[in-house]
């Protein structure tokens, strides 16, 4: 019985907008990402991936949105030096094991390849909670963004 608590922050201003999300180890990354988006004010209508590199696009491991992953030719990666997984089939436990995550480590979440909403999640705690616990926001700071407002997107300010 294990659950992970991540503090997910908006990259451009991490002190203004963040969410603490607890997710059971048996839940998929797609489920986790859906809660991130909903709590931050974003829909699910764009491509996204989780990665490990602070430069996001340079991540050598990516956990892609299921529809994007399924559309890759033969499940191949987009770059020769990256490993790609289906976020709809990868559990939080598998991610933690594959990346050897420890408390204090970070993962990156890039949503919408055009507008590039960038978030990162810091693993804050590994707790003895039900492993099937649905992803849930347990603490938060800041109002959700307006996804299609240039006023809310730090890249355009």
């Amino acid at each position: 019985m294990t659950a992970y608590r991540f503090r997910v922050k908006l990259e451009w201003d991490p002190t203004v907008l963040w969410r603490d999300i607890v997710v059971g180890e048996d839940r998929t990354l797609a489920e986790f990402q859906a809660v991130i988006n909903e709590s931050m004010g974003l829909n699910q209508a764009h491509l996204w991936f989780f990665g490990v590199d602070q430069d996001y696009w340079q991540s050598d491991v990516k956990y892609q949105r299921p529809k994007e992953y399924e559309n890759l030719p033969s499940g191949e990666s987009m770059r020769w030096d990256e490993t790609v997984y289906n976020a709809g089939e990868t559990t939080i436990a598998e991610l933690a094991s594959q990346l050897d995550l420890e408390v204090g480590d970070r993962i990156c979440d890039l949503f919408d390849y055009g507008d590039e909403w960038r978030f990162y999640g810091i693993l804050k705690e590994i707790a003895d909670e039900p492993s099937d616990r649905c992803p849930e926001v347990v603490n938060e700071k800041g109002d959700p963004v307006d996804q299609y407002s240039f006023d809310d997107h730090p890249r355009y300010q």
Side-chain angles (χ1 to χ4, degrees):
M1 290 189 26
T2 302
Y4 294 82
R5 180 182 184 131
F6 289 91
R7 174 152 297 170
V8 179
K9 300 179 174 192
L10 178 66
E11 179 190 60
W12 295 289
D13 201 347
T15 62
V16 172
L17 179 60
W18 55 262
R19 305 289 186 254
D20 282 351
I21 300 174
V22 175
V23 56
E25 68 179 347
D26 294 339
R27 294 300 180 162
T28 68
L29 294 175
E31 292 173 295
F32 179 43
Q33 203 279 336
V35 170
I36 292 171
N37 274 15
E38 181 181 335
S39 70
M40 295 294 188
L42 305 171
N43 64 33
Q44 287 295 99
H46 295 277
L47 299 176
W48 55 264
F49 67 82
F50 285 104
V52 295
D53 193 291
Q54 291 179 348
D55 189 23
Y56 293 79
W57 290 108
Q58 300 308 311
S59 185
D60 58 355
V61 177
K62 290 181 182 164
Y63 299 86
Q64 290 180 325
R65 177 182 183 204
K67 285 185 181 182
E68 179 181 13
Y69 179 85
E70 292 161 4
N71 287 330
L72 290 173
S74 305
E76 295 294 320
S77 60
M78 297 175 72
R79 290 188 352 244
W80 65 272
D81 61 342
E82 71 182 6
T83 303
V84 178
Y85 298 97
N86 183 339
E89 296 176 356
T90 305
T91 66
I92 297 293
E94 290 168 332
L95 169 108
S97 174
Q98 290 165 350
L99 301 179
D100 197 25
L101 283 185
E102 296 179 5
V103 171
D105 289 346
R106 130 185 196 154
I107 58 173
C108 300
D109 175 22
L110 179 69
F111 174 77
D112 186 345
Y113 295 175
D115 285 338
E116 290 192 16
W117 288 95
R118 292 174 176 228
F119 300 92
Y120 63 91
I122 299 170
L123 180 57
K124 300 297 279 184
E125 178 184 14
I126 301 171
D128 185 22
E129 294 195 31
S131 57
D132 64 347
R133 181 175 176 169
C134 291
E136 176 185 11
V137 176
V138 295
N139 196 9
E140 63 186 333
K141 181 178 180 185
D143 295 326
V145 299
D146 179 351
Q147 179 173 345
Y148 297 108
S149 168
F150 288 119
D151 293 335
D152 275 3
H153 198 297
R155 267 183 62 189
Y156 302 110
Q157 295 179 6

